[in-house]
Protein backbone atom coordinates (compact mmCIF):
# COMPACT_ATOMS: atom_id res chain seq x y z
CA UNK A 1 0.00 0.00 0.00
CA UNK A 2 1.36 3.40 -1.02
CA UNK A 3 1.57 6.31 1.41
CA UNK A 4 -0.27 8.57 -1.04
CA UNK A 5 -2.90 7.15 -3.42
CA UNK A 6 -4.11 8.58 -6.76
CA UNK A 7 -6.88 10.66 -5.06
CA UNK A 8 -4.43 12.46 -2.73
CA UNK A 9 -5.28 10.54 0.44
CA UNK A 10 -2.78 9.35 3.02
CA UNK A 11 -2.87 5.58 3.40
CA UNK A 12 -6.14 5.61 1.45
CA UNK A 13 -8.08 7.22 4.32
CA UNK A 14 -7.25 10.89 5.05
CA UNK A 15 -7.24 13.64 2.44
CA UNK A 16 -4.19 15.94 2.51
CA UNK A 17 -6.50 18.99 2.42
CA UNK A 18 -8.45 17.71 5.46
CA UNK A 19 -5.18 17.00 7.27
CA UNK A 20 -3.87 20.54 6.55
CA UNK A 21 -7.15 22.11 7.74
CA UNK A 22 -7.01 20.01 10.93
CA UNK A 23 -3.43 21.10 11.67
CA UNK A 24 -4.37 24.78 11.15
CA UNK A 25 -7.40 24.38 13.44
CA UNK A 26 -5.33 22.78 16.21
CA UNK A 27 -2.66 25.51 15.88
CA UNK A 28 -5.31 28.24 16.10
CA UNK A 29 -6.86 26.73 19.23
CA UNK A 30 -3.42 26.31 20.82
CA UNK A 31 -2.57 29.93 19.92
CA UNK A 32 -5.70 31.19 21.64
CA UNK A 33 -5.02 29.37 24.88
CA UNK A 34 -1.25 29.91 24.94
CA UNK A 35 -1.29 33.59 23.92
CA UNK A 36 0.50 35.91 26.39
CA UNK A 37 -2.09 38.66 25.80
CA UNK A 38 -4.88 36.34 26.95
CA UNK A 39 -3.09 35.54 30.20
CA UNK A 40 -2.54 39.27 30.77
CA UNK A 41 -6.22 40.07 30.25
CA UNK A 42 -7.30 37.18 32.49
CA UNK A 43 -4.94 38.49 35.18
CA UNK A 44 -6.42 41.96 34.80
CA UNK A 45 -9.97 40.72 35.28
CA UNK A 46 -9.13 38.71 38.39
CA UNK A 47 -6.60 41.13 39.92
CA UNK A 48 -6.90 43.76 42.60
CA UNK A 49 -8.20 47.25 41.86
CA UNK A 50 -6.69 50.38 43.35
CA UNK A 51 -8.12 53.84 43.98
CA UNK A 52 -6.45 56.56 41.91
CA UNK A 53 -6.67 60.28 41.36
CA UNK A 54 -5.92 61.52 37.87
CA UNK A 55 -5.18 65.15 36.96
CA UNK A 56 -6.23 66.16 33.46
CA UNK A 57 -5.04 69.39 31.83
CA UNK A 58 -7.61 71.08 29.60
CA UNK A 59 -5.94 73.78 27.47
CA UNK A 60 -7.79 76.47 25.56
CA UNK A 61 -11.35 75.36 26.32
CA UNK A 62 -13.63 77.84 24.58
CA UNK A 63 -17.05 78.54 26.12
CA UNK A 64 -19.25 81.63 26.44
CA UNK A 65 -19.01 81.48 30.22
CA UNK A 66 -16.34 79.02 31.37
CA UNK A 67 -17.02 79.77 35.06
CA UNK A 68 -20.70 78.77 34.74
CA UNK A 69 -19.76 75.69 32.70
CA UNK A 70 -17.32 74.49 35.37
CA UNK A 71 -19.85 75.20 38.14
CA UNK A 72 -22.36 72.98 36.32
CA UNK A 73 -19.77 70.25 35.86
CA UNK A 74 -18.86 70.35 39.56
CA UNK A 75 -22.54 70.17 40.48
CA UNK A 76 -22.94 66.92 38.49
CA UNK A 77 -20.00 65.42 40.48
CA UNK A 78 -19.54 62.67 37.85
CA UNK A 79 -18.43 62.70 34.24
CA UNK A 80 -18.11 60.15 31.46
CA UNK A 81 -14.51 59.29 30.64
CA UNK A 82 -13.23 58.38 27.18
CA UNK A 83 -9.60 57.24 26.96
CA UNK A 84 -8.06 57.05 23.45
CA UNK A 85 -11.56 56.88 21.92
CA UNK A 86 -12.47 53.95 24.20
CA UNK A 87 -15.40 54.67 26.57
CA UNK A 88 -14.52 53.89 30.18
CA UNK A 89 -17.78 54.86 31.89
CA UNK A 90 -18.57 57.27 34.68
CA UNK A 91 -15.89 58.55 37.00
CA UNK A 92 -16.01 60.82 40.05
CA UNK A 93 -15.04 64.46 39.71
CA UNK A 94 -12.90 65.61 42.66
CA UNK A 95 -12.05 69.21 41.76
CA UNK A 96 -11.78 71.79 39.02
CA UNK A 97 -8.96 74.31 39.23
CA UNK A 98 -9.04 77.11 36.64
CA UNK A 99 -5.60 78.45 35.80
CA UNK A 100 -5.02 82.18 35.32
CA UNK A 101 -4.49 83.38 31.75
CA UNK A 102 -1.23 85.28 31.55
CA UNK A 103 0.83 86.99 28.91
CA UNK A 104 4.60 87.44 28.96
CA UNK A 105 5.61 91.13 29.16
CA UNK A 106 9.21 92.21 28.52
CA UNK A 107 10.66 94.39 31.26
CA UNK A 108 13.07 97.35 30.90
CA UNK A 109 15.83 95.40 32.64
CA UNK A 110 15.67 92.69 29.93
CA UNK A 111 13.68 90.20 32.01
CA UNK A 112 10.22 88.86 31.35
CA UNK A 113 7.23 88.99 33.68
CA UNK A 114 3.97 87.00 33.48
CA UNK A 115 1.01 89.35 33.93
CA UNK A 116 -2.76 88.74 33.69
CA UNK A 117 -3.96 88.76 30.08
CA UNK A 118 -5.87 92.03 29.48
CA UNK A 119 -7.50 91.00 26.18
CA UNK A 120 -11.33 90.82 26.49
CA UNK A 121 -11.67 87.87 24.11
CA UNK A 122 -9.64 85.77 26.54
CA UNK A 123 -12.62 85.67 28.91
CA UNK A 124 -14.06 82.95 26.61
CA UNK A 125 -11.04 80.67 26.88
CA UNK A 126 -9.87 78.74 29.88
CA UNK A 127 -6.99 76.51 30.90
CA UNK A 128 -8.02 74.15 33.68
CA UNK A 129 -6.83 71.21 35.73
CA UNK A 130 -9.57 68.70 36.50
CA UNK A 131 -8.98 66.00 39.11
CA UNK A 132 -10.83 62.70 38.68
CA UNK A 133 -11.05 59.70 41.03
CA UNK A 134 -11.69 56.08 40.11
CA UNK A 135 -10.63 52.47 40.35
CA UNK A 136 -7.86 51.05 38.16
CA UNK A 137 -6.01 47.80 37.73
CA UNK A 138 -2.32 48.17 38.69
CA UNK A 139 0.11 46.44 36.32
CA UNK A 140 3.91 46.30 36.37
CA UNK A 141 4.09 49.11 33.80
CA UNK A 142 1.27 51.42 34.93
CA UNK A 143 -2.46 51.44 35.54
CA UNK A 144 -5.31 50.14 33.39
CA UNK A 145 -8.69 51.91 33.31
CA UNK A 146 -11.18 49.61 31.62
CA UNK A 147 -8.97 47.98 28.99
CA UNK A 148 -6.75 50.98 28.27
CA UNK A 149 -3.42 51.81 29.92
CA UNK A 150 -3.41 55.23 31.50
CA UNK A 151 -0.14 57.16 31.63
CA UNK A 152 0.98 60.78 31.74
CA UNK A 153 0.32 62.26 28.30
CA UNK A 154 -2.60 59.94 27.46
CA UNK A 155 -5.35 61.83 25.59
CA UNK A 156 -8.66 61.86 27.48
CA UNK A 157 -12.12 63.20 26.74
CA UNK A 158 -14.69 64.19 29.35
CA UNK A 159 -18.35 64.12 28.40
CA UNK A 160 -21.47 65.21 30.24
CA UNK A 161 -24.96 66.53 29.66
CA UNK A 162 -23.92 69.67 27.76
CA UNK A 163 -20.17 69.35 27.20
CA UNK A 164 -17.49 67.22 25.60
CA UNK A 165 -13.88 68.32 25.59
CA UNK A 166 -10.46 66.78 25.58
CA UNK A 167 -7.25 67.09 27.50
CA UNK A 168 -4.30 65.00 28.54
CA UNK A 169 -3.23 63.29 31.74
CA UNK A 170 -0.61 65.26 33.69
CA UNK A 171 -0.50 63.23 36.93
CA UNK A 172 -1.64 59.87 38.34
CA UNK A 173 -1.65 59.35 42.11
CA UNK A 174 -2.66 56.26 44.09
CA UNK A 175 -5.03 57.13 46.94
CA UNK A 176 -4.24 55.51 50.27
CA UNK A 177 -7.37 54.18 52.06
Amino acid sequence: MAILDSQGRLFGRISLIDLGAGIILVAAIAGIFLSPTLTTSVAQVSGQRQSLQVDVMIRGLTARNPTALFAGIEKEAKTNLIIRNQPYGQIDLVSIQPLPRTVLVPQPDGGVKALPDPRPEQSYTSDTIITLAGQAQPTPDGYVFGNVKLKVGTPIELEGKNYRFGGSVIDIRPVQP
Side-chain angles (χ1 to χ4, degrees), residues 11-30:
F11 304 110
R13 295 182 178 225
I14 300 172
S15 169
L16 285 179
I17 294 174
D18 292 341
L19 181 65
I23 291 172
I24 290 172
L25 182 66
V26 168
I29 291 172

Side-chain angles (χ1 to χ4, degrees), residues 66-142:
T67 308
L69 175 66
F70 291 136
I73 293 171
E74 274 187 313
K75 187 177 178 184
E76 290 179 23
K78 287 195 177 282
T79 187
N80 292 317
L81 182 64
I82 302 164
I83 307 169
R84 291 187 183 154
N85 294 328
Q86 299 294 319
Y88 169 74
Q90 283 204 330
I91 191 165
D92 295 327
L93 187 85
V94 176
S95 69
I96 297 177
Q97 176 189 359
L99 300 174
R101 297 287 295 196
T102 58
V103 64
L104 297 176
V105 178
Q107 299 298 304
D109 65 355
V112 177
K113 197 178 216 182
L115 297 174
D117 195 346
R119 297 177 289 176
E121 66 271 9
Q122 291 303 316
S123 64
Y124 297 115
T125 353
S126 176
D127 292 343
T128 307
I129 296 176
I130 297 179
T131 303
L132 307 169
Q135 297 286 317
Q137 170 70 38
T139 62
D141 60 339

Side-chain angles (χ1 to χ4, degrees), residues 151-164:
K151 297 183 178 199
V152 171
T154 302
I156 281 185
E157 289 183 43
L158 304 175
E159 181 179 17
K161 185 174 127 183
N162 60 353
Y163 64 90
R164 182 174 183 160

